Amino acid sequence: MSRFCRSLTRTGTQVMQSSGKSLVSVEKIGGTSMSAFGDVLRHIMLYDKSRIYGRIYVVSAYSGVTNQLLEHKKTGEPGIYALFADGADYHAALDGLAVSLKKLNAGFAELGLPLDVADAFVDERIGEVKKYLDAMHHVLASGYIRRQDVLLAAREVLASIGESHSAFNSVEILKANGVQAILLDLAGFHDDMAWTIDERIHNSFKGLELAGNVIVATGYTKGTEGIMREFDRGYSEVTFSKIAVEVRPAEAVIHKEFHLSSADPNIVGLENAVIVGATNYDVADQLADVGMEAIHPKAAKPIELAGIPIRLKNTFEPEHPGTLITKDFVGERARVEIVTGSDKVTLVEIHDPSMVGTVGFDLGLMEIFCKHEISYILKATNANSIAHVLWESSVTPGLIAELEARYEVVTVKPSAIVCAIGSNISIPGVLARAAQALADAAVNVNCVSQTLRQVNMQFIIERSDYKKAIVALNHTLCVSPGTPVPLA
């Protein structure tokens, strides 16, 4: 067994007050925050001297590491995974990764990280990964196992490196600062247990002493179903969610480098970004649907069903309570809480005269979307046209060719979507106010959608108008003094 495995003291899984309220917290720390670990130490882990212990931290890899391992999340630039998939020299790339990880280690030396121990961990883990990948490479060459299954397994192995590295360092730094800390490496490199993700988490926490320790868990969890297969790059929040459901804290906390605000401060300016403060899971789902994830939707659902609130906090403002997401919150006064969207979408409209009165006309369209593994963001329809808003990256030549072969007119238009979202906007005047704000900013609306639930008003506009529309809606609906719509 690896010399880096840690023994665990086990006496009981949940620690409760006599009132029944959990004394344990489960907290997720994102990659950007982890890279500023001195701030994490000061503003989160050691900030409140009265509650250092009884906290479980689920940590992401340092910023940029998973991009180097897999591919860049935004640009798609290939990483080590592509080298393995192409049969290229992944050993040299892994050696280069080791150099990068040790350089990160050196940046934490002033926080107390013992570099000899931390660098040795990197060497050992990279060596283990090479052995795993070499074995997979031989299996691929044999042709006995489906290529896609082996490649997915390789993604799993590579993805785990970043979280194991950051979690190991976190524990060593905490110990150097006099904190009793335990590493919970859920990557499962040193066992052959065929556990599901849930089983691994349950067995890892079974009997673990929580109240007197700080637990640092990897955001990656090994499981027979494959966490990357199920959730891809949202896996660290899924681990966070499953741990929260396992230990049932009073709150599940997510630390990010920003507050959940009325709009992106980079677009509207920090002075015009209003901190939300409180909202509900429905709003969180709407945000995730347009790519602004307060929390991954597949991670949020189990926490919501367990009745656990989520608190979003800014790593660099520890005194601020942040934003609390609960199941039943509805704002006391009607207001738009968040204006968001994306300029990375495409409007695909089908126009066909035979659509009028035809039962199930759009079933064929859905079958094509399903074949191409496409989930749409917005749908609007009239007598002979159906418009869908899709992520730009999912609109392929093959998809368009298949649609054009089946339908009379197919229009493909690069677009942007802007949304006005709130827990209490189901009153007269909100939609009119939003549309007027866009008109006043000379932004033309090409398509619009709102359901009966009235949580999210969605406008499809020209891509070049995206930032202008965000600024206009945020100013009119969230910032300007007479704007948050009349009292309900």
Side-chain angles (χ1 to χ4, degrees):
M1 180 174 287
S2 164
R3 61 196 174 99
F4 296 110
C5 289
R6 295 290 187 263
S7 61
L8 305 179
T9 305
R10 301 177 182 277
T11 59
T13 303
Q14 294 181 339
V15 181
M16 310 291 285
Q17 289 179 323
S18 58
S19 63
K21 184 177 180 180
S22 176
L23 290 173
V24 174
S25 68
V26 177
E27 306 178 40
K28 163 76 168 56
I29 305 176
T32 303
S33 294
M34 286 298 294
S35 294
F37 196 77
D39 291 304
V40 168
L41 207 62
R42 288 186 294 273
H43 297 159
I44 300 173
M45 295 179 170
L46 304 180
Y47 179 72
D48 184 349
K49 303 298 183 185
S50 68
R51 59 178 300 266
I52 289 175
Y53 293 106
R55 301 173 79 174
I56 302 164
Y57 298 106
V58 181
V59 299
S60 294
Y62 298 121
S63 181
V65 171
T66 308
N67 289 340
Q68 190 174 349
L69 287 162
L70 302 178
E71 61 278 321
H72 196 286
K73 190 173 184 179
K74 293 183 178 179
T75 69
E77 180 182 354
I80 296 173
Y81 168 74
L83 294 174
F84 174 81
D86 294 340
D89 187 4
Y90 56 87
H91 271 240
L94 284 167
D95 291 338
L97 174 70
V99 172
S100 297
L101 297 185
K102 290 177 182 179
K103 186 176 181 180
L104 286 170
N105 289 352
F108 301 123
E110 64 181 16
L111 300 178
L113 180 66
L115 293 183
D116 56 340
V117 176
D119 289 352
F121 177 81
V122 169
D123 287 335
E124 179 177 309
R125 185 54 53 95
I126 293 295
E128 291 168 334
V129 168
K130 286 179 180 177
K131 291 177 183 177
Y132 268 104
L133 294 183
D134 288 347
M136 291 180 191
H137 181 70
H138 290 307
V139 170
L140 270 177
S142 74
Y144 295 145
I145 297 179
R146 198 166 70 101
R147 174 178 171 82
Q148 189 59 27
D149 290 338
V150 178
L151 292 180
L152 285 170
R155 280 183 72 81
E156 298 279 340
V157 171
L158 286 167
S160 71
I161 298 173
E163 278 78 18
S164 292
H165 173 234
S166 63
F168 181 88
N169 283 0
S170 300
V171 168
E172 293 300 319
I173 292 170
L174 283 167
K175 288 180 176 179
N177 283 270
V179 176
Q180 187 171 325
I182 293 174
L183 171 64
L184 203 63
D185 192 343
L186 298 170
F189 261 74
H190 305 114
D191 71 65
D192 297 319
M193 303 304 297
W195 286 331
T196 65
I197 296 167
D198 286 337
E199 288 170 342
R200 180 169 296 279
I201 288 172
H202 176 73
N203 285 305
S204 296
F205 276 92
K206 188 164 53 180
L208 180 62
E209 172 57 49
L210 302 179
N213 290 293
V214 171
I215 312 296
V216 181
T218 56
Y220 176 88
T221 304
K222 175 183 173 184
T224 52
E225 67 270 51
I227 200 166
M228 287 289 294
R229 292 186 186 96
E230 291 289 312
F231 309 107
D232 200 51
R233 294 289 284 269
Y235 60 82
S236 61
E237 289 189 350
V238 172
T239 294
F240 161 74
S241 168
K242 289 180 178 294
I243 289 176
V245 171
E246 173 68 27
V247 305
R248 301 299 175 106
E251 289 180 354
V253 183
I254 299 176
H255 299 277
K256 291 181 178 280
E257 68 276 15
F258 50 79
H259 283 293
L260 183 63
S261 302
S262 62
D264 184 349
N266 294 319
I267 296 176
V268 303
L270 189 61
E271 69 280 6
N272 294 315
V274 181
I275 298 172
V276 173
T279 192
N280 61 37
Y281 279 101
D282 197 352
V283 167
D285 287 343
Q286 305 302 319
L287 296 176
D289 199 41
V290 290
M292 182 187 169
E293 289 183 6
I295 180 173
H296 192 289
K298 290 185 178 179
K301 200 54 58 180
I303 299 180
E304 177 184 354
L305 294 174
I308 302 168
I310 296 176
R311 187 176 296 276
L312 301 176
K313 286 181 64 70
N314 185 325
T315 299
F316 309 105
E317 293 187 33
E319 72 287 348
H320 197 288
T323 295
L324 189 66
I325 302 175
T326 56
K327 184 175 182 179
D328 300 320
F329 174 83
V330 176
E332 290 186 8
R333 65 186 297 229
R335 71 184 181 104
V336 169
E337 293 162 10
I338 301 171
V339 173
T340 188
S342 174
D343 59 356
K344 301 292 188 297
V345 300
T346 298
L347 181 65
V348 177
E349 184 177 79
I350 305 299
H351 174 81
D352 198 316
S354 66
M355 174 179 165
V356 182
T358 301
V359 175
F361 179 89
D362 57 352
L363 175 60
L365 182 56
M366 291 299 98
E367 287 173 341
I368 293 174
F369 281 3
C370 185
K371 175 183 174 181
H372 289 265
E373 298 183 341
I374 289 174
S375 176
Y376 62 84
I377 302 169
L378 174 152
K379 177 180 179 179
T381 183
N382 61 26
N384 52 20
S385 298
I386 304 178
H388 289 86
V389 174
L390 314 177
W391 288 110
E392 179 183 49
S393 58
S394 68
V395 181
T396 62
L399 169 69
I400 300 306
E402 191 165 350
L403 292 174
E404 289 177 337
R406 184 160 182 171
Y407 301 106
E408 183 168 315
V409 180
V410 177
T411 302
V412 180
K413 183 177 178 59
S415 300
I417 182 171
V418 290
C419 308
I421 302 171
S423 61
N424 184 7
I425 60 174
S426 180
I427 64 167
V430 186
L431 180 58
R433 192 181 288 266
Q436 189 61 54
L438 294 174
D440 291 344
V443 174
N444 188 52
V445 176
N446 295 328
C447 190
V448 64
S449 176
Q450 179 176 271
T451 67
L452 178 63
R453 193 171 178 85
Q454 296 187 49
V455 177
N456 185 0
M457 295 177 289
Q458 299 174 300
F459 303 92
I460 307 306
I461 60 174
E462 298 295 326
R463 188 171 285 181
S464 58
D465 288 336
Y466 175 67
K467 290 185 178 180
K468 182 166 62 171
I470 293 288
V471 170
L473 289 173
N474 181 66
H475 175 76
T476 300
L477 301 176
C478 305
V479 178
S480 230
T483 47
V485 235
L487 293 175

